[in-house]
Amino acid sequence: MARSKTSSAAQKPRSVQPDRDGHFGVYGGRYVAETLMPALLELEAAWAKLRRDARFRREFASWLRDYAGRPTRLYFARRLSERLGGARIYLKREDLLHTGAHKVNNTIGQALVARRLGKTRLIAETGAGQHGVATATVAALFGLRCEVFMGAEDVRRQSLNVFRMKLLGAEVRVVEAGSQTLKDAMNEALRDWIATVRDTFYVIGTVAGPHPYPMMVREFQAVIGWEARRQIRQATGRLPDACIACVGGGSNAIGLFHAFRDDRKVQLIGVEAAGYGMETGRHAASLTAGQVGVLHGNKTYLLQDETGQIRNAHSISAGLDYPGVGPEHAWLRDTGRATYVTVTDDEAVEALRLLTATEGIIPALESAHAIAHAVRMAPRLDRRRILLVSLSGRGDKDMGTVAAHLGVQLT
């Protein structure tokens, strides 16, 4: 294994870039097989140039605007706010994007990088299927071959997205190993990349993985926060009191938080999946209950036992069902700049039902975790307070899971 040195850089939130080895404080880095180092170094060099290339930035912005549908709307959830009787809740509507979630911001960006590197095949891992759909979508758009790795359990509960990926021309590789969820899909994608690195680009779906992926994905998703910052000031004349987003790997949360990280009066709140309850041990809350370790090429907080073996995560939401988290979130937690809380399966489903009934908006189960914490928080605050929530995706894909949870038989 090739390991980069641990940084001793000061852990001050004002630093927005990782160090030269890809560390946010002690987190991140590049812990991968030697065979992947040339590909990562090639990507790091390319990204260092492209992120400053005005032509590349214009091309990326044009695809976001003309194809994905940016800017997304900022929506005041009036009836929900009135129902709760406290703070005003605003939703950043990433569910309105093409493909139905924030994931397409990142896949467009990475596909453009892949083309600049001359790669002809994209691979991706997926849990809820939204990243898989978004990767298959851009592969079709740019004429690239595509394979998506997905755990068998997630294939079962996200069959609609599996069909969408296949319709878009992608091959879906079903992973039967381990817990048959997102962790195992990422394991298989990394193995494939080692064998096919010459013509293949690995489109990682979140702000995790080896450097430079956490930084690169954050910069593609930062459009969420910069838009929301401008929109909330236009709508209310000031910044929000808190930004709230669900956290699995954490890309939508970092995308929202990044624009507000220097505004110390704005709370940054990430919401992890408590699954059946923290006391049961069947959850996906690595920041709340994890320990520091190495997984999928980076050092971060992980769900692991006393011997360092990765524990199975659980969440009703396939997109949060991951035993780790992006390294920048680990750093934000330790510095105290961001706070991380938990929401159970039951609470997420109830929040989904409440938002649907009051606003006519069906959120993804991932996003429903963030809504649930806003529902918990708003009544304790007065009407002058403003909560900005990332509605990271729509809930079409989750209707079978929600129905089963509620004991409803779909015909």
Side-chain angles (χ1 to χ4, degrees), residues 20-104:
R20 60 182 298 174
D21 294 317
H23 289 94
F24 296 89
V26 299
Y27 306 106
R30 248 189 313 246
Y31 297 78
V32 298
E34 293 286 355
T35 49
L36 280 182
M37 286 301 292
L40 288 170
L41 293 173
E42 177 190 41
L43 176 57
E44 181 183 16
W47 177 240
K49 293 179 181 178
L50 290 175
R51 64 187 297 266
R52 293 179 173 84
D53 185 317
R55 182 179 175 186
F56 178 84
R57 294 200 307 270
R58 286 195 300 270
E59 183 179 12
F60 177 53
S62 70
W63 284 113
L64 289 182
R65 181 187 65 242
D66 300 332
Y67 185 72
R70 301 212 72 92
T72 57
R73 305 298 297 177
L74 181 73
Y75 174 73
F76 173 39
R78 184 182 305 276
R79 293 194 67 234
L80 177 63
S81 300
E82 291 174 351
R83 173 80 167 266
L84 297 172
R88 291 170 285 164
I89 298 173
Y90 284 80
L91 308 177
K92 181 57 173 163
R93 297 288 307 277
E94 296 298 290
D95 60 310
L96 297 178
L97 281 174
H98 180 46
T99 74
H102 70 292
K103 295 294 188 180
V104 75

Coordinates of all heavy atoms in Angstrom, one line a residue, residues 20-104:
R20 N -0.8 19.3 0.6 CA -0.3 18.8 -0.7 C -0.5 17.3 -0.8 O -0.5 16.7 -1.9 CB 1.2 19.1 -0.9 CG 2.1 18.6 0.2 CD 3.6 19.0 0.0 NE 4.0 18.5 -1.3 CZ 5.2 18.8 -1.8 NH1 6.0 19.6 -1.2 NH2 5.6 18.2 -2.9
D21 N -0.6 16.6 0.3 CA -0.9 15.2 0.3 C -2.4 14.8 0.4 O -2.7 13.6 0.6 CB -0.1 14.5 1.5 CG 1.4 14.6 1.3 OD1 1.9 14.4 0.1 OD2 2.1 14.9 2.2
G22 N -3.2 15.8 0.4 CA -4.6 15.6 0.4 C -5.2 15.4 1.8 O -6.3 14.8 1.9
H23 N -4.6 16.0 2.8 CA -5.1 15.9 4.2 C -5.9 17.1 4.6 O -5.4 18.3 4.4 CB -4.0 15.7 5.2 CG -3.4 14.3 5.1 ND1 -2.3 14.1 4.3 CD2 -3.7 13.1 5.7 CE1 -1.9 12.8 4.5 NE2 -2.8 12.2 5.2
F24 N -7.1 16.9 5.2 CA -7.8 17.9 6.0 C -7.4 17.6 7.4 O -8.0 16.7 8.0 CB -9.3 17.8 5.7 CG -9.7 18.1 4.3 CD1 -9.8 17.1 3.4 CD2 -10.0 19.4 3.9 CE1 -10.2 17.3 2.1 CE2 -10.4 19.6 2.6 CZ -10.5 18.6 1.7
G25 N -6.5 18.4 8.0 CA -6.0 18.0 9.3 C -5.3 16.7 9.2 O -4.4 16.5 8.4
V26 N -5.7 15.7 10.0 CA -5.1 14.4 9.9 C -5.9 13.4 8.9 O -5.5 12.3 8.7 CB -5.0 13.7 11.2 CG1 -4.1 14.5 12.1 CG2 -6.3 13.4 11.9
Y27 N -7.0 13.9 8.4 CA -7.9 13.1 7.6 C -7.7 13.2 6.1 O -7.2 14.2 5.6 CB -9.4 13.4 7.9 CG -9.7 13.4 9.4 CD1 -9.8 14.5 10.2 CD2 -9.7 12.1 10.1 CE1 -10.1 14.5 11.5 CE2 -10.0 12.1 11.4 CZ -10.1 13.2 12.2 OH -10.4 13.2 13.5
G28 N -8.1 12.2 5.4 CA -7.9 12.2 3.9 C -6.7 11.4 3.5 O -6.4 10.3 4.0
G29 N -5.9 12.0 2.6 CA -4.7 11.3 2.1 C -5.0 10.4 1.0 O -6.0 10.4 0.3
R30 N -4.0 9.5 0.7 CA -4.1 8.6 -0.4 C -3.5 7.2 0.0 O -2.4 7.0 0.0 CB -3.2 9.1 -1.6 CG -4.0 9.5 -2.8 CD -3.1 9.8 -4.0 NE -2.0 10.6 -3.7 CZ -1.8 11.9 -4.2 NH1 -2.7 12.4 -5.0 NH2 -0.7 12.6 -3.9
Y31 N -4.4 6.4 0.4 CA -4.1 5.0 0.9 C -4.6 4.0 -0.1 O -5.7 3.5 0.1 CB -4.7 4.8 2.3 CG -4.2 5.7 3.4 CD1 -4.7 7.0 3.5 CD2 -3.3 5.3 4.3 CE1 -4.3 7.9 4.5 CE2 -2.9 6.2 5.3 CZ -3.4 7.5 5.4 OH -3.0 8.3 6.4
V32 N -3.8 3.7 -1.1 CA -4.2 2.9 -2.2 C -3.1 2.0 -2.6 O -1.9 2.1 -2.3 CB -4.6 3.7 -3.4 CG1 -5.8 4.6 -3.1 CG2 -3.5 4.6 -3.9
A33 N -3.4 1.0 -3.5 CA -2.4 0.1 -4.0 C -1.5 0.9 -5.0 O -1.9 1.9 -5.6 CB -3.1 -1.0 -4.8
E34 N -0.2 0.5 -5.0 CA 0.7 1.1 -5.9 C 0.3 1.3 -7.3 O 0.6 2.3 -8.0 CB 2.1 0.4 -5.8 CG 2.8 0.4 -4.5 CD 3.4 1.7 -4.1 OE1 3.4 2.6 -5.0 OE2 3.9 1.9 -3.0
T35 N -0.5 0.3 -7.8 CA -0.9 0.3 -9.2 C -1.8 1.5 -9.5 O -2.0 1.8 -10.7 CB -1.6 -1.0 -9.5 OG1 -2.6 -1.3 -8.5 CG2 -0.6 -2.1 -9.6
L36 N -2.5 2.0 -8.5 CA -3.4 3.2 -8.7 C -2.7 4.5 -8.6 O -3.3 5.5 -9.0 CB -4.6 3.1 -7.7 CG -5.7 2.2 -8.1 CD1 -6.8 2.2 -7.0 CD2 -6.3 2.4 -9.5
M37 N -1.5 4.6 -8.0 CA -0.9 5.8 -7.8 C -0.6 6.6 -9.1 O -0.9 7.9 -9.1 CB 0.5 5.7 -7.0 CG 0.3 5.3 -5.6 SD -0.6 6.6 -4.6 CE 0.5 8.0 -4.7
P38 N -0.2 6.0 -10.2 CA 0.0 6.8 -11.4 C -1.3 7.5 -11.9 O -1.3 8.6 -12.3 CB 0.5 5.8 -12.4 CG 1.2 4.8 -11.6 CD 0.3 4.7 -10.4
A39 N -2.4 6.8 -11.8 CA -3.7 7.3 -12.2 C -4.1 8.5 -11.3 O -4.6 9.5 -11.8 CB -4.8 6.3 -12.2
L40 N -3.9 8.4 -10.0 CA -4.3 9.4 -9.1 C -3.4 10.6 -9.3 O -3.8 11.8 -9.2 CB -4.2 8.9 -7.6 CG -5.3 7.9 -7.2 CD1 -5.0 7.3 -5.9 CD2 -6.7 8.6 -7.2
L41 N -2.1 10.4 -9.5 CA -1.2 11.5 -9.7 C -1.5 12.2 -11.0 O -1.4 13.5 -11.1 CB 0.3 11.0 -9.7 CG 0.8 10.5 -8.4 CD1 2.2 9.9 -8.5 CD2 0.8 11.7 -7.3
E42 N -1.9 11.5 -12.1 CA -2.3 12.1 -13.3 C -3.6 12.9 -13.1 O -3.7 14.1 -13.6 CB -2.6 11.0 -14.3 CG -3.2 11.5 -15.7 CD -3.7 10.4 -16.6 OE1 -4.3 9.4 -16.0 OE2 -3.4 10.4 -17.8
L43 N -4.5 12.4 -12.4 CA -5.8 13.1 -12.1 C -5.5 14.4 -11.3 O -6.0 15.4 -11.5 CB -6.7 12.2 -11.3 CG -8.1 12.9 -10.9 CD1 -8.8 13.5 -12.0 CD2 -8.9 11.9 -10.1
E44 N -4.6 14.3 -10.3 CA -4.3 15.4 -9.4 C -3.7 16.5 -10.3 O -4.0 17.7 -10.1 CB -3.3 15.0 -8.3 CG -2.9 16.1 -7.4 CD -1.9 15.7 -6.4 OE1 -1.3 14.7 -6.5 OE2 -1.7 16.5 -5.4
A45 N -2.7 16.2 -11.2 CA -2.1 17.2 -12.0 C -3.1 17.8 -13.0 O -3.1 19.0 -13.2 CB -1.0 16.5 -12.8
A46 N -4.0 17.0 -13.5 CA -5.0 17.5 -14.5 C -6.0 18.4 -13.7 O -6.3 19.5 -14.2 CB -5.7 16.4 -15.1
W47 N -6.4 18.0 -12.5 CA -7.4 18.8 -11.8 C -6.8 20.1 -11.3 O -7.4 21.2 -11.4 CB -7.9 18.0 -10.6 CG -8.9 18.9 -9.8 CD1 -8.8 19.2 -8.5 CD2 -10.1 19.5 -10.2 NE1 -9.8 19.9 -8.1 CE2 -10.6 20.1 -9.1 CE3 -10.7 19.5 -11.5 CZ2 -11.8 20.9 -9.2 CZ3 -11.9 20.3 -11.6 CH2 -12.5 20.9 -10.4
A48 N -5.5 20.1 -11.0 CA -4.8 21.4 -10.5 C -4.9 22.4 -11.7 O -5.0 23.6 -11.4 CB -3.4 21.1 -10.1
K49 N -4.8 22.0 -12.9 CA -4.8 22.9 -14.0 C -6.3 23.3 -14.4 O -6.6 24.4 -14.6 CB -4.1 22.3 -15.3 CG -2.7 22.1 -15.1 CD -2.0 21.5 -16.4 CE -0.5 21.3 -16.2 NZ 0.0 20.6 -17.4
L50 N -7.1 22.2 -14.4 CA -8.5 22.5 -14.9 C -9.3 23.4 -14.0 O -10.1 24.2 -14.4 CB -9.2 21.1 -15.1 CG -8.7 20.3 -16.3 CD1 -9.5 18.9 -16.3 CD2 -9.0 21.0 -17.6
R51 N -9.1 23.2 -12.7 CA -9.9 24.0 -11.7 C -9.6 25.5 -11.9 O -10.4 26.3 -11.4 CB -9.7 23.6 -10.3 CG -8.3 23.7 -9.7 CD -8.1 23.1 -8.4 NE -9.0 23.7 -7.4 CZ -8.6 24.7 -6.6 NH1 -7.4 25.2 -6.7 NH2 -9.5 25.3 -5.8
R52 N -8.5 25.9 -12.5 CA -8.1 27.3 -12.7 C -8.3 27.7 -14.2 O -8.0 28.8 -14.5 CB -6.7 27.5 -12.3 CG -6.4 27.4 -10.8 CD -5.0 27.6 -10.4 NE -4.8 27.6 -9.0 CZ -4.6 26.5 -8.2 NH1 -4.6 25.3 -8.8 NH2 -4.5 26.6 -6.9
D53 N -8.8 26.7 -15.0 CA -8.9 27.0 -16.4 C -10.2 27.6 -16.7 O -11.3 27.0 -16.5 CB -8.8 25.6 -17.2 CG -8.8 25.8 -18.7 OD1 -9.6 26.6 -19.2 OD2 -8.0 25.1 -19.3
A54 N -10.2 28.9 -17.2 CA -11.5 29.6 -17.4 C -12.4 28.9 -18.4 O -13.6 28.9 -18.3 CB -11.2 31.0 -17.8
R55 N -11.8 28.3 -19.4 CA -12.5 27.7 -20.5 C -13.3 26.4 -19.9 O -14.4 26.2 -20.2 CB -11.6 27.3 -21.6 CG -12.3 26.6 -22.8 CD -11.4 26.2 -23.9 NE -12.0 25.5 -24.9 CZ -11.4 25.0 -26.0 NH1 -10.0 25.1 -26.1 NH2 -12.0 24.3 -26.9
F56 N -12.6 25.7 -19.1 CA -13.2 24.5 -18.4 C -14.3 24.9 -17.5 O -15.4 24.3 -17.5 CB -12.1 23.7 -17.6 CG -12.7 22.5 -16.9 CD1 -12.8 21.3 -17.6 CD2 -13.0 22.6 -15.6 CE1 -13.3 20.2 -16.9 CE2 -13.6 21.5 -14.9 CZ -13.7 20.3 -15.6
R57 N -14.1 26.0 -16.7 CA -15.1 26.4 -15.8 C -16.4 26.9 -16.6 O -17.5 26.6 -16.2 CB -14.6 27.6 -14.9 CG -13.5 27.1 -13.9 CD -13.4 28.1 -12.8 NE -13.2 29.4 -13.2 CZ -12.0 30.0 -13.5 NH1 -10.9 29.3 -13.3 NH2 -11.9 31.3 -13.9
R58 N -16.2 27.6 -17.7 CA -17.3 28.0 -18.5 C -18.0 26.8 -19.1 O -19.3 26.8 -19.2 CB -16.8 29.0 -19.6 CG -16.4 30.3 -19.2 CD -16.3 31.3 -20.4 NE -15.3 30.9 -21.3 CZ -14.0 31.2 -21.3 NH1 -13.6 32.0 -20.3 NH2 -13.2 30.8 -22.2
E59 N -17.3 25.8 -19.6 CA -18.0 24.6 -20.1 C -18.8 23.9 -19.0 O -19.9 23.5 -19.3 CB -16.9 23.7 -20.7 CG -17.6 22.5 -21.4 CD -16.6 21.5 -22.0 OE1 -15.3 21.7 -21.7 OE2 -17.0 20.6 -22.8
F60 N -18.2 23.8 -17.9 CA -18.9 23.1 -16.8 C -20.2 23.9 -16.4 O -21.3 23.3 -16.3 CB -18.0 23.1 -15.5 CG -18.6 22.5 -14.3 CD1 -19.2 21.3 -14.3 CD2 -18.5 23.2 -13.1 CE1 -19.8 20.7 -13.2 CE2 -19.1 22.7 -11.9 CZ -19.7 21.4 -12.0
A61 N -20.1 25.2 -16.3 CA -21.2 26.0 -16.0 C -22.3 26.0 -17.0 O -23.5 26.0 -16.7 CB -20.8 27.5 -15.8
S62 N -21.9 25.9 -18.3 CA -22.9 25.8 -19.4 C -23.7 24.5 -19.3 O -24.9 24.5 -19.6 CB -22.2 26.0 -20.7 OG -21.4 24.9 -21.1
W63 N -23.0 23.4 -19.1 CA -23.7 22.1 -19.0 C -24.6 22.1 -17.7 O -25.8 21.6 -17.8 CB -22.7 21.0 -18.9 CG -22.1 20.6 -20.2 CD1 -20.8 20.7 -20.5 CD2 -22.7 20.1 -21.3 NE1 -20.6 20.3 -21.8 CE2 -21.7 19.9 -22.3 CE3 -24.0 19.7 -21.6 CZ2 -22.0 19.4 -23.6 CZ3 -24.3 19.2 -22.9 CH2 -23.3 19.0 -23.8
L64 N -24.2 22.7 -16.6 CA -25.1 22.8 -15.4 C -26.3 23.6 -15.8 O -27.4 23.2 -15.4 CB -24.3 23.4 -14.3 CG -23.2 22.6 -13.6 CD1 -22.7 23.4 -12.4 CD2 -23.7 21.2 -13.1
R65 N -26.2 24.7 -16.5 CA -27.3 25.5 -16.8 C -28.2 24.9 -17.9 O -29.4 24.8 -17.7 CB -26.8 26.9 -17.3 CG -27.8 27.9 -17.7 CD -27.2 29.1 -18.3 NE -26.6 28.8 -19.6 CZ -25.3 29.0 -19.8 NH1 -24.5 29.5 -18.9 NH2 -24.8 28.7 -21.0
D66 N -27.6 24.5 -19.0 CA -28.4 24.1 -20.2 C -28.9 22.7 -20.1 O -29.9 22.4 -20.8 CB -27.6 24.4 -21.4 CG -27.2 25.8 -21.6 OD1 -27.9 26.7 -21.1 OD2 -26.1 26.1 -22.2
Y67 N -28.2 21.9 -19.4 CA -28.6 20.4 -19.4 C -29.1 20.0 -18.0 O -30.2 19.4 -18.0 CB -27.3 19.6 -19.7 CG -27.6 18.1 -19.9 CD1 -28.3 17.6 -21.0 CD2 -27.2 17.2 -18.9 CE1 -28.6 16.3 -21.1 CE2 -27.5 15.8 -19.0 CZ -28.2 15.4 -20.1 OH -28.5 14.1 -20.2
A68 N -28.4 20.3 -17.0 CA -28.9 19.9 -15.6 C -30.0 20.7 -15.1 O -30.8 20.2 -14.3 CB -27.7 19.9 -14.7
G69 N -30.1 22.0 -15.4 CA -31.2 22.8 -15.0 C -30.9 23.8 -13.8 O -31.7 24.1 -13.0
R70 N -29.6 24.2 -13.7 CA -29.2 25.2 -12.7 C -29.5 26.6 -13.2 O -29.5 26.8 -14.4 CB -27.8 25.0 -12.3 CG -27.4 23.6 -11.8 CD -26.3 23.7 -10.8 NE -26.8 24.3 -9.6 CZ -27.3 23.5 -8.5 NH1 -27.3 22.2 -8.6 NH2 -27.7 24.1 -7.5
P71 N -29.7 27.5 -12.2 CA -29.8 27.3 -10.8 C -31.1 26.7 -10.3 O -32.1 26.8 -10.9 CB -29.7 28.8 -10.2 CG -30.3 29.6 -11.3 CD -29.9 29.0 -12.6
T72 N -31.0 25.9 -9.3 CA -32.2 25.3 -8.7 C -32.9 26.3 -7.8 O -32.2 27.3 -7.4 CB -31.9 24.0 -7.9 OG1 -30.9 24.4 -6.8 CG2 -31.3 22.9 -8.7
R73 N -34.1 26.1 -7.5 CA -34.9 27.1 -6.8 C -34.6 27.0 -5.3 O -34.4 25.9 -4.7 CB -36.4 26.9 -7.0 CG -36.8 26.9 -8.5 CD -36.5 28.2 -9.2 NE -37.3 29.3 -8.6 CZ -37.2 30.6 -9.0 NH1 -36.3 30.9 -9.9 NH2 -37.9 31.5 -8.4
L74 N -34.8 28.2 -4.6 CA -34.9 28.2 -3.2 C -36.3 28.4 -2.8 O -37.0 29.3 -3.3 CB -34.1 29.4 -2.6 CG -34.1 29.5 -1.1 CD1 -33.2 28.4 -0.5 CD2 -33.6 30.9 -0.6
Y75 N -36.9 27.5 -2.0 CA -38.3 27.5 -1.8 C -38.6 27.7 -0.3 O -38.1 27.0 0.6 CB -38.9 26.1 -2.2 CG -40.4 25.9 -1.9 CD1 -41.3 26.7 -2.6 CD2 -40.7 25.1 -0.9 CE1 -42.7 26.5 -2.3 CE2 -42.1 24.9 -0.6 CZ -43.0 25.6 -1.3 OH -44.4 25.4 -1.0
F76 N -39.5 28.6 0.0 CA -39.9 28.8 1.4 C -41.0 27.9 1.7 O -42.1 27.9 1.1 CB -40.4 30.3 1.6 CG -41.0 30.6 2.9 CD1 -40.5 30.0 4.1 CD2 -42.1 31.4 3.0 CE1 -41.1 30.2 5.3 CE2 -42.7 31.6 4.3 CZ -42.2 31.1 5.4
A77 N -40.8 26.9 2.6 CA -41.8 26.0 3.0 C -42.8 26.6 4.0 O -42.7 26.3 5.2 CB -41.1 24.7 3.6
R78 N -43.7 27.4 3.5 CA -44.5 28.2 4.3 C -45.5 27.4 5.2 O -45.6 27.6 6.4 CB -45.4 29.1 3.4 CG -46.3 30.1 4.2 CD -47.1 31.0 3.3 NE -46.3 31.7 2.3 CZ -45.6 32.8 2.6 NH1 -45.8 33.4 3.8 NH2 -44.9 33.4 1.7
R79 N -46.2 26.4 4.6 CA -47.1 25.6 5.3 C -46.4 24.7 6.4 O -46.9 24.5 7.5 CB -48.0 24.8 4.4 CG -48.9 25.6 3.5 CD -50.0 24.7 2.9 NE -50.9 24.2 3.8 CZ -51.2 22.9 4.0 NH1 -50.6 22.0 3.2 NH2 -52.1 22.5 4.9
L80 N -45.3 24.2 6.0 CA -44.5 23.4 7.0 C -44.1 24.3 8.1 O -44.2 23.9 9.3 CB -43.3 22.7 6.3 CG -42.4 21.9 7.2 CD1 -43.1 20.7 7.8 CD2 -41.1 21.5 6.5
S81 N -43.6 25.5 7.8 CA -43.1 26.4 8.9 C -44.3 26.8 9.8 O -44.1 26.8 11.0 CB -42.5 27.6 8.2 OG -41.4 27.3 7.4
E82 N -45.4 27.1 9.2 CA -46.6 27.4 10.0 C -47.1 26.2 10.8 O -47.5 26.4 12.0 CB -47.7 27.9 9.1 CG -47.4 29.3 8.4 CD -48.5 29.7 7.4 OE1 -49.3 28.8 7.1 OE2 -48.4 30.8 6.9
R83 N -47.0 25.1 10.3 CA -47.4 23.9 11.0 C -46.5 23.6 12.2 O -47.0 23.3 13.3 CB -47.3 22.6 10.1 CG -47.5 21.3 10.7 CD -49.0 21.0 10.9 NE -49.2 19.6 11.2 CZ -49.5 18.6 10.3 NH1 -49.6 18.9 9.0 NH2 -49.6 17.4 10.7
L84 N -45.3 23.9 12.1 CA -44.3 23.7 13.2 C -44.4 24.9 14.2 O -44.0 24.7 15.4 CB -42.9 23.5 12.7 CG -42.7 22.3 11.8 CD1 -41.4 22.3 11.2 CD2 -42.9 21.0 12.6
G85 N -44.7 26.0 13.7 CA -44.9 27.2 14.6 C -43.6 27.8 15.1 O -43.6 28.4 16.2
G86 N -42.5 27.7 14.4 CA -41.3 28.3 14.9 C -40.5 28.9 13.7 O -41.0 29.8 13.0
A87 N -39.2 28.5 13.6 CA -38.4 29.1 12.6 C -38.9 28.9 11.2 O -39.6 27.9 10.9 CB -37.0 28.5 12.7
R88 N -38.5 29.8 10.3 CA -38.9 29.6 8.8 C -37.9 28.7 8.2 O -36.7 28.8 8.3 CB -38.8 31.0 8.1 CG -39.9 32.0 8.6 CD -39.7 33.4 8.1 NE -38.6 34.0 8.8 CZ -38.0 35.1 8.4 NH1 -38.3 35.6 7.2 NH2 -37.0 35.7 9.1
I89 N -38.5 27.7 7.4 CA -37.7 26.7 6.7 C -37.6 27.0 5.2 O -38.7 27.1 4.6 CB -38.3 25.3 7.0 CG1 -38.2 25.0 8.5 CG2 -37.5 24.2 6.2 CD1 -38.9 23.7 8.9
Y90 N -36.4 27.1 4.7 CA -36.2 27.2 3.3 C -35.6 26.0 2.7 O -34.6 25.4 3.4 CB -35.4 28.4 3.0 CG -36.1 29.8 3.1 CD1 -36.3 30.3 4.4 CD2 -36.6 30.4 2.0 CE1 -37.0 31.5 4.5 CE2 -37.3 31.6 2.1 CZ -37.4 32.2 3.4 OH -38.1 33.4 3.5
L91 N -36.0 25.5 1.6 CA -35.5 24.3 1.0 C -34.7 24.7 -0.3 O -35.2 25.4 -1.2 CB -36.6 23.4 0.6 CG -37.6 23.0 1.7 CD1 -38.7 22.1 1.1 CD2 -36.9 22.3 2.8
K92 N -33.4 24.2 -0.4 CA -32.7 24.3 -1.6 C -33.0 23.1 -2.4 O -32.7 21.9 -2.1 CB -31.2 24.3 -1.3 CG -30.3 24.5 -2.5 CD -30.6 25.7 -3.4 CE -29.6 25.9 -4.5 NZ -30.0 26.8 -5.5
R93 N -33.7 23.3 -3.6 CA -34.4 22.3 -4.3 C -33.5 21.5 -5.3 O -33.7 21.6 -6.5 CB -35.6 22.9 -5.0 CG -36.7 23.4 -4.1 CD -37.4 22.3 -3.3 NE -38.0 21.3 -4.2 CZ -39.2 21.5 -4.9 NH1 -39.9 22.5 -4.7 NH2 -39.6 20.5 -5.6
E94 N -32.5 20.8 -4.8 CA -31.7 19.9 -5.7 C -32.5 18.8 -6.4 O -32.1 18.2 -7.4 CB -30.5 19.4 -5.0 CG -29.5 20.4 -4.5 CD -28.9 21.2 -5.6 OE1 -28.1 20.7 -6.4 OE2 -29.3 22.4 -5.8
D95 N -33.7 18.5 -5.8 CA -34.6 17.5 -6.4 C -35.1 17.9 -7.7 O -35.6 17.0 -8.5 CB -35.7 17.2 -5.4 CG -36.6 18.4 -5.1 OD1 -36.0 19.5 -4.8 OD2 -37.8 18.3 -5.3
L96 N -35.0 19.2 -8.1 CA -35.5 19.6 -9.4 C -34.5 19.5 -10.5 O -34.9 19.7 -11.7 CB -35.9 21.1 -9.2 CG -37.1 21.4 -8.3 CD1 -37.3 22.9 -8.2 CD2 -38.3 20.7 -8.6
L97 N -33.3 19.1 -10.2 CA -32.3 18.9 -11.2 C -32.6 17.7 -12.1 O -33.3 16.8 -11.7 CB -30.9 18.6 -10.6 CG -30.1 19.8 -10.1 CD1 -28.9 19.3 -9.4 CD2 -29.8 20.8 -11.2
H98 N -32.1 17.7 -13.4 CA -32.2 16.6 -14.2 C -31.6 15.4 -13.5 O -30.5 15.5 -12.9 CB -31.4 16.8 -15.5 CG -31.4 15.7 -16.5 ND1 -32.6 15.0 -16.8 CD2 -30.4 15.2 -17.2 CE1 -32.3 14.1 -17.7 NE2 -30.9 14.1 -17.9
T99 N -32.2 14.2 -13.6 CA -32.0 13.0 -12.9 C -32.5 13.0 -11.4 O -32.5 11.9 -10.8 CB -30.5 12.5 -12.9 OG1 -29.7 13.4 -12.0 CG2 -29.9 12.6 -14.3
G100 N -32.9 14.1 -10.9 CA -33.7 14.1 -9.6 C -32.8 14.2 -8.4 O -33.4 14.0 -7.3
A101 N -31.6 14.6 -8.5 CA -30.7 14.8 -7.3 C -29.5 15.6 -7.6 O -29.2 15.8 -8.8 CB -30.3 13.4 -6.7
H102 N -28.8 16.0 -6.6 CA -27.6 16.8 -6.7 C -26.4 16.0 -7.4 O -25.5 16.7 -7.8 CB -27.1 17.2 -5.3 CG -26.6 16.1 -4.5 ND1 -27.3 15.1 -4.0 CD2 -25.3 15.8 -4.1 CE1 -26.6 14.2 -3.3 NE2 -25.3 14.7 -3.4
K103 N -26.5 14.7 -7.5 CA -25.4 13.9 -8.0 C -24.9 14.4 -9.4 O -23.7 14.3 -9.7 CB -25.8 12.5 -8.1 CG -26.1 11.8 -6.7 CD -24.8 11.8 -5.9 CE -25.0 11.0 -4.6 NZ -23.8 10.9 -3.8
V104 N -25.8 14.9 -10.2 CA -25.5 15.2 -11.6 C -24.5 16.4 -11.7 O -23.7 16.5 -12.6 CB -26.7 15.5 -12.5 CG1 -27.4 16.9 -12.1 CG2 -26.4 15.4 -13.9

